[in-house]
Amino acid sequence: MTDSTTQPRITIGVLVEDADRRAEFYEATFWSLRATPRELLASWLYDERGSILFDEITRLPEYYPTNAEREILAARAGEIAELTKGRTLVELGAGTSEKTLLLLDALAAAGTLERFVPLDVSDDILRLSAEAIAERYPTISVHGIVGDFERDLAAIPPGESRVIAFLGSTIGNLYPERRATLLQAIASALAPGDFFLLGIDLVKDPAVIARAYNDSAGVTEQFVRNALTAANRDLGADFVQERFVFDAFWDPEREWMDIGFNAVEAHTVHFAELEVDIELREGERLRVEVSSKFRREGIEAELAAAGLRVTSWWTDEAARFALLLATG
Ligand code: AVJ
């Protein structure tokens, strides 16, 4: 279903109805709360306040991934434009597409850019960024897709020389099995002449990584606590903030940040909307998200398993973050 907004150059495709999406999301939340360790899905982080807090995180001195990725894009966007000759830029989990402007600028300067296709679950953010980008690049068309990148890749319109970008190391929030599924879906979406552009945070000194999620201003803790607030509001839950200590730690085995809380005392949390009570033991973990870090050999092997071959690899000066191009 497609409805066009004021400008004819902008179209928005809405793939998932709100009610369907909510039912599925609540179901997944229910099962995650009963898993081991218990988990409140990371999607609970990104309501309106959460998105503002995440934006604040990207400007923290300790949170290096955003700056590192911007550094690579600023240095390499021209090269990326030259290598890909991209006519359509697709961005998965586009958000406000802020860093994407560097890519769009380079593709526009190279004279190949015809279309921008942002895909995001947030209808409002998508419409705003579609308008802004259509205004900034008067000759291109913008086709926004309101959807879920784990489910809706088939909605990416056909075309030649498409670049599918997945930035910000968002892929690190998926567990390995789901990552494999997503990479396979991306591989099957790619036609000859298309490229996949992936941004990933790299394994490095654990102290540096841990600090990025334990900032001195406490913004990350506020951000993660907001998931409890959101669940109280939307799920009729009765989380009491004081009964949880924030704990984000580096797991050296899995090579991911494990971000969440530990219960300070045994207690029960009630979820009216889910009709469930969760009994927490003293010290029990309530995970909210993981943030995996990558090694070149590891991600290349994961991509290869999905049928994708890395053709370019760039890092920032300090080798904290990598951007790679792959083809099918
Ligand atoms: C936006 C998912 C990449 O994992 O670094 C930042 C989210 N969580 N601080 C990340 C996040 C806590 C972020 N991603």
Side-chain angles (χ1 to χ4, degrees):
M1 160 180 33
T2 295
D3 66 80
S4 41
T5 53
T6 43
Q7 280 168 289
R9 286 194 297 114
I10 304 179
T11 52
I12 304 283
V14 181
L15 281 154
V16 243
E17 291 300 334
D18 262 8
D20 294 359
R21 200 156 68 205
R22 185 169 326 108
E24 234 175 74
F25 179 38
Y26 281 18
E27 173 89 7
T29 300
F30 174 88
W31 290 110
S32 304
L33 286 166
R34 294 167 63 101
T36 310
R38 297 189 190 282
E39 185 166 342
L40 178 64
L41 293 180
S43 306
W44 287 99
L45 291 166
Y46 295 97
D47 64 354
E48 203 181 328
R49 176 153 184 270
S51 301
I52 292 167
L53 285 167
F54 179 66
D55 223 60
E56 219 174 294
I57 287 174
T58 65
R59 290 189 298 271
L60 292 170
E62 296 97 336
Y63 192 76
Y64 62 84
T66 307
N67 290 334
E69 186 174 50
R70 190 184 298 106
E71 179 189 324
I72 306 169
L73 281 168
R76 306 295 186 170
E79 206 174 330
I80 293 166
E82 212 169 287
L83 288 165
T84 62
K85 301 181 174 53
R87 292 165 62 175
T88 296
L89 179 66
V90 179
E91 186 174 15
L92 308 182
T96 52
S97 303
E98 179 242 320
K99 278 171 292 180
T100 316
L101 296 181
L102 292 165
L103 279 173
L104 289 167
D105 280 348
L107 292 166
T112 58
L113 183 67
E114 293 166 2
R115 181 171 54 171
F116 179 51
V117 179
L119 185 153
D120 200 275
V121 277
S122 167
D123 196 303
D124 297 341
I125 291 175
L126 197 69
R127 280 170 204 271
L128 279 176
S129 86
E131 301 270 347
I133 283 175
E135 202 160 301
R136 183 175 165 127
Y137 305 94
T139 64
I140 72 166
S141 62
V142 180
H143 177 65
I145 303 172
V146 181
D148 175 346
F149 57 70
E150 290 191 77
R151 220 179 60 176
D152 300 320
L153 294 187
I156 297 172
E160 286 173 9
S161 301
R162 298 173 305 170
V163 178
I164 300 182
F166 194 28
L167 303 177
S169 205
T170 301
I171 196 169
N173 289 132
L174 302 181
Y175 289 109
E177 318 79 62
R178 278 171 64 187
R179 217 151 64 208
T181 306
L182 176 69
L183 292 176
Q184 275 160 26
I186 287 168
S188 34
L190 290 184
D194 291 345
F195 286 88
F196 178 43
L197 179 67
L198 179 65
I200 47 177
D201 197 14
L202 299 175
V203 173
K204 62 184 69 63
D205 178 358
V208 171
I209 298 172
R211 220 178 295 130
Y213 298 86
N214 290 278
D215 60 287
S216 55
V219 182
T220 305
E221 177 170 349
Q222 279 183 61
F223 170 68
V224 181
R225 284 192 179 280
N226 182 56
L228 303 182
T229 307
N232 284 353
R233 181 192 62 222
D234 295 347
L235 292 175
D238 59 359
F239 282 115
V240 177
Q241 296 284 358
E242 292 71 31
R243 290 181 137 165
F244 294 92
V245 276
F246 174 67
D247 180 25
F249 66 92
W250 173 247
D251 180 335
E253 226 105 289
R254 312 303 301 263
E255 296 193 317
W256 65 37
M257 282 300 298
D258 188 324
I259 303 162
F261 303 99
N262 304 321
V264 295
E265 60 195 357
H267 70 283
T268 301
V269 183
H270 175 65
F271 297 79
E273 290 291 321
L274 304 177
E275 294 177 29
V276 71
D277 283 326
I278 297 296
E279 282 177 38
L280 294 158
R281 289 173 283 104
E282 182 184 336
E284 186 167 352
R285 184 77 179 157
L286 177 66
R287 181 187 277 164
V288 180
E289 69 174 346
V290 298
S291 187
S292 298
K293 308 305 170 189
F294 299 88
R295 297 175 186 272
R296 183 170 183 169
E297 317 76 63
I299 190 69
E300 285 192 346
E302 286 186 41
L303 289 160
L308 294 165
R309 191 172 58 87
V310 175
T311 55
S312 302
W313 171 275
W314 302 280
T315 73
D316 60 311
E317 230 14 272
R320 297 168 294 178
F321 200 97
L323 205 58
L324 65 85
L325 267 180
T327 55

